[in-house]
Amino acid sequence: GTLVVVTVNDRYASVITVRGTSMNPTLESQQGDRALVSRLCLDARYGLSRGDVVVFRSPTEHRSLLVKRLIALPGDWIQVPAAQEIRQIPVGHCWVEGDNPDVSWDSRSYGPIPLGLMQGRVTHIVWPPNRIGPVERKMPEGRVMQR
Amino acid sequence: LLERLLELGAVVLAERSCLQKYQFSHGDVVLFKCPSDHRELFVKRLIALPGEWMQLPGTPDIIKIPEGHCWVEGDNAACSWDSRSFGPIPLGLIKGRVAHVIWPPSKIGRVDTKMPENRISPL
């Protein structure tokens, strides 16, 4: 998966360095992308949205942070790629996938993950200069039936 | 970090150094986000760690704890909603270890590590 290293940490925001290729082309470790992570989404007033790029604790290695795209929220029905299967996301859980599916290890492997693992939302690329800009919300089409 | 916890009806001191060092021990009392409601915090005892086999209470079954997960139970088994209901939880949900009760006065003291006997077999 795409690992992240927290380089600056604050209560509301962090800057992370991206390693790994599972979020190519949105986040590219080969170019040394550094991204701004907002934690406001963890407060009840804001919340996460489908299509957000999120940072969360790995469900299988609690010392690691991962960055993926949030695909489905509790109660949604999702079509699992390459599985001919539709699943409903359990209460308190969500479905995450990398933008580069061929190399991403994500909910397609480990299933829905608790929202309690979420650490923040990636809002911008802040380095290198030619990569500076917002990270857009994006959804794969036709795969999620919202609750 | 001070947390008022209905579960204990007491104010406890929760230390977070176990997260910094990422060291958990059997029998620790831990604070963690509820797996089905991330806005809620639970306090339970840590019973088993990744890779271990443990016996499910009240049944002949044994299960293996998956990588990155742990098993938590309340000390008052009869009225605790814990891993016996929702299964193993990711270690990433743990927010700290409860070290001391600091209020009310009658409960002040260290929270001890304690393990139920004969329920875990390490790899």
Side-chain angles (χ1 to χ4, degrees):
Chain A
T2 296
L3 298 179
V4 299
V5 178
V6 179
T7 51
V8 179
N9 201 0
D10 179 71
R11 183 167 179 182
Y12 297 110
S14 305
V15 174
I16 58 171
T17 301
V18 179
R19 290 193 275 144
T21 55
S22 75
M23 283 299 287
N24 283 10
T26 307
L27 299 172
E28 299 197 1
S29 58
Q30 306 96 308
Q31 302 212 44
D33 281 7
R34 284 179 170 79
L36 183 65
V37 179
S38 165
R39 268 203 276 276
L40 290 177
C41 58
L42 301 183
D43 289 335
R45 276 180 68 201
Y46 296 87
L48 292 160
S49 300
R50 298 171 190 82
D52 282 340
V53 176
V54 293
V55 177
F56 57 96
R57 291 199 182 282
S58 166
T60 55
E61 175 48 76
H62 65 284
R63 285 169 282 217
S64 300
L65 292 176
L66 301 178
V67 56
K68 306 287 173 189
R69 197 171 291 275
L70 181 63
I71 304 294
L73 290 169
D76 290 352
W77 290 85
I78 183 170
Q79 185 242 318
V80 182
Q84 308 306 320
E85 177 188 343
I86 298 180
R87 292 180 66 171
Q88 187 171 33
I89 309 301
V91 61
H93 288 65
C94 61
W95 188 271
V96 293
E97 291 178 9
D99 284 358
N100 189 5
D102 292 341
V103 301
S104 179
W105 193 61
D106 50 39
S107 285
R108 296 167 301 156
S109 304
Y110 44 69
I113 62 170
L115 283 164
L117 295 174
M118 290 294 132
Q119 299 291 300
R121 181 172 68 89
V122 175
T123 61
H124 292 79
I125 294 174
V126 296
W127 190 263
N130 64 302
R131 297 271 297 156
I132 290 176
V135 171
E136 305 291 349
R137 184 175 294 149
K138 190 169 72 180
M139 275 294 290
E141 285 182 25
R143 284 191 47 221
V144 176
M145 185 181 309
Q146 299 179 11
R147 68 189 187 275
Chain B
L1 173 68
L2 301 183
E3 297 278 352
R4 184 175 298 275
L5 298 163
L6 292 179
E7 179 78 26
L8 292 182
V11 180
V12 302
L13 182 64
E15 70 155 2
R16 278 212 273 238
S17 61
C18 61
L19 300 183
Q20 214 60 37
K21 302 167 185 168
Y22 300 107
Q23 291 169 359
F24 301 106
S25 302
H26 302 99
D28 282 343
V29 176
V30 294
L31 204 61
F32 62 96
K33 290 185 182 180
C34 174
S36 57
D37 184 352
H38 63 286
R39 297 187 180 96
E40 194 172 347
L41 280 183
F42 277 4
V43 181
K44 305 290 169 186
R45 198 171 290 277
L46 191 59
I47 302 296
L49 291 165
E52 293 175 347
W53 292 84
M54 63 160 281
Q55 187 234 324
L56 296 183
T59 80
D61 301 328
I62 58 172
I63 66 162
K64 186 179 188 185
I65 308 299
E67 280 311 305
H69 288 66
C70 61
W71 189 270
V72 292
E73 291 178 9
D75 286 356
N76 188 353
C79 62
S80 179
W81 196 61
D82 52 33
S83 285
R84 292 166 300 159
S85 304
F86 45 69
I89 64 163
L91 285 164
L93 293 176
I94 293 181
K95 305 303 290 179
R97 182 174 71 84
V98 175
H100 289 83
V101 173
I102 59 179
W103 192 265
S106 62
K107 284 183 180 287
I108 289 178
R110 196 178 62 187
V111 173
D112 286 335
T113 297
K114 186 171 74 180
M115 269 300 292
E117 289 178 19
N118 300 323
R119 290 200 37 219
I120 295 187
S121 168
L123 275 172

